[in-house]
Amino acid sequence: MMFGRRNGNGDRGGQGVPVEATRGLFWAWVANDLEELITMGPWSRRHGSELASRLAGRLPGGAPRRVSGGLSERHVRVSISIMGCLMLALAERGRATGGRSRLYQVGLLGFGVHGFTHLLNSAVWRGYTPGVATAPTVVIPFSAWAVRELARNGVLRLDGRTITTALVGLPVTILGIHGLTARLVGPEDALEDVAPGRTAPGERTTPGG
């Protein structure tokens, strides 16, 4: 189902969707993830132990071991790069279709929802969490504006399929990218600081040593 006004010929519009509403998805993501690039690694290492203790009772088998150690800068850079490629592809797909692409709109809605998850995370944490500064100043305002532009030009697919895919796809994508990153950089490289008795990244243990 598409929402919005028709053009003067009675056909659905779409040519008037500004490129800022499509390619802008990528640049709004860049603004948010520059903040995360700078803060995610240090924040996760500073608060890793506390975060692990909070998650321990909520996740089957306790919190993953790398949560307590924090994320290395390499893990952060690789995961953000993978997400960047995905967001660029979605934005370009939106541009090429005048905003009609369902995949682009799924990405746009997911991006907006993820802005609210930043706010929720900080509210639950009762303090700063990576990405929360640009969530209400860039992510949410841009997403709301872009959705309005799509609706105004009659190409917004605000149906159950799009909404469900956006809501389900958001956590699946984030978890999937971090899982892929862990495989690419190695599980131990996700741990910046090595606790006593733990082998540092790149080192090998020997029997009895």
Side-chain angles (χ1 to χ4, degrees):
M1 180 184 299
M2 291 189 179
F3 294 82
R5 66 184 185 184
R6 296 176 183 270
N7 61 26
N9 296 323
D11 299 325
R12 288 293 183 182
Q15 297 302 318
V17 174
V19 69
E20 292 84 1
T22 52
R23 279 184 171 166
L25 173 62
F26 173 71
W27 293 110
W29 172 86
V30 167
N32 182 242
D33 271 54
L34 277 177
E35 179 190 355
E36 294 188 356
L37 179 64
I38 295 171
T39 63
M40 186 182 296
W43 186 92
S44 69
R45 294 189 293 274
R46 187 179 308 116
H47 300 288
S49 296
E50 182 181 355
L51 182 60
S53 66
R54 293 191 185 191
L55 293 176
R58 302 179 184 180
L59 298 178
R65 184 163 65 95
R66 59 176 161 271
V67 171
S68 61
L71 299 175
S72 71
E73 294 302 327
R74 185 182 178 195
H75 182 101
V76 172
R77 289 193 300 268
V78 171
S79 62
I80 286 178
S81 296
I82 296 173
M83 180 64 81
C85 292
L86 174 61
M87 296 302 289
L88 180 59
L90 292 175
E92 285 302 308
R93 180 61 182 165
R95 181 201 61 79
T97 60
R100 291 179 175 83
S101 168
R102 187 183 297 274
L103 283 176
Y104 155 72
Q105 294 193 23
V106 164
L108 176 63
L109 291 178
F111 183 64
V113 170
H114 124 276
F116 287 98
T117 65
H118 275 302
L119 300 180
L120 179 61
N121 287 341
S122 283
V124 172
W125 187 262
R126 296 183 181 179
Y128 176 84
T129 55
V132 73
T134 48
T137 56
V138 177
V139 176
I140 296 173
F142 167 78
S143 300
W145 171 77
V147 167
R148 286 197 301 268
E149 286 299 315
L150 296 180
R152 188 171 67 85
N153 286 277
V155 298
L156 180 62
R157 298 174 179 270
L158 200 60
D159 53 24
R161 178 182 170 188
T162 301
I163 294 173
T164 301
T165 304
L167 294 178
V168 174
L170 176 62
V172 170
T173 300
I174 292 175
L175 291 175
I177 286 177
H178 279 290
L180 174 61
T181 300
R183 286 182 174 273
L184 292 175
V185 304
E188 293 300 323
D189 191 67
L191 300 165
E192 182 73 17
D193 299 318
V194 180
R198 183 185 300 165
T199 303
E203 294 182 353
R204 294 286 185 270
T205 58
T206 56

